[in-house]
Amino acid sequence: VQLQASGGGAVQAGGSLRLTCVASGTIYSITRMAWYRQAAGNQRELVAHIAPGGGTEYGDSVKGRAAISRDNAKNTLYLELNGLTPEDTAVYYCNANIRTKFTTNTRGYWGQGTQVTVSS
């Protein structure tokens, strides 16, 4: 199983971005999916997570500016983040709880991270 994140880059303050994370491999099912971020020198923090049915929760730092969504048929996770500030600069990681076709257990997988840099 692999999670491939994309969509990061350099953005001006006030701008927007859309991140995408595609899960691939011998996937049987995916439950919770989430975006985390880690700024230099800081701990990794939750940006948002989404349940299979679409229920969402957001971190305090992005509430009102973020929208997380998923396409279950494509095993794909999205994040739209608006009103970017330099404080949003971080490496963004996708995370998913996945059951593979060869086990009855579900475990968490991480993507490789995509850098977002917001300049003022």
Side-chain angles (χ1 to χ4, degrees):
V1 172
Q2 288 188 330
L3 297 181
Q4 182 70 42
S6 61
V11 185
Q12 292 279 340
S16 301
L17 60 80
R18 187 184 196 219
L19 304 180
T20 300
C21 176
V22 180
S24 62
T26 55
I27 296 170
Y28 179 81
S29 62
I30 303 177
T31 54
R32 177 184 181 271
M33 302 184 83
W35 289 99
Y36 290 78
R37 67 185 183 185
Q38 187 167 18
N42 290 355
Q43 291 187 335
R44 192 169 296 189
E45 66 170 353
L46 175 70
V47 177
H49 68 81
I50 184 168
T56 59
E57 287 193 23
Y58 295 91
D60 289 341
S61 61
V62 300
K63 277 182 181 176
R65 302 190 295 123
I68 188 171
S69 60
R70 62 192 286 173
D71 184 332
N72 292 329
K74 296 180 179 179
N75 292 334
T76 301
L77 176 70
Y78 305 98
L79 178 71
E80 294 191 17
L81 190 56
N82 305 308
L84 290 164
T85 73
E87 287 68 40
D88 294 312
T89 295
V91 179
Y92 285 70
Y93 298 92
C94 56
N95 171 267
N97 290 342
I98 297 174
R99 176 185 167 185
T100 69
K101 294 179 181 178
F102 306 114
T103 179
T104 57
N105 298 322
T106 298
R107 55 156 284 198
Y109 291 83
W110 290 92
Q112 85 286 5
T114 183
Q115 175 71 47
V116 173
T117 302
V118 183
S119 57
S120 57

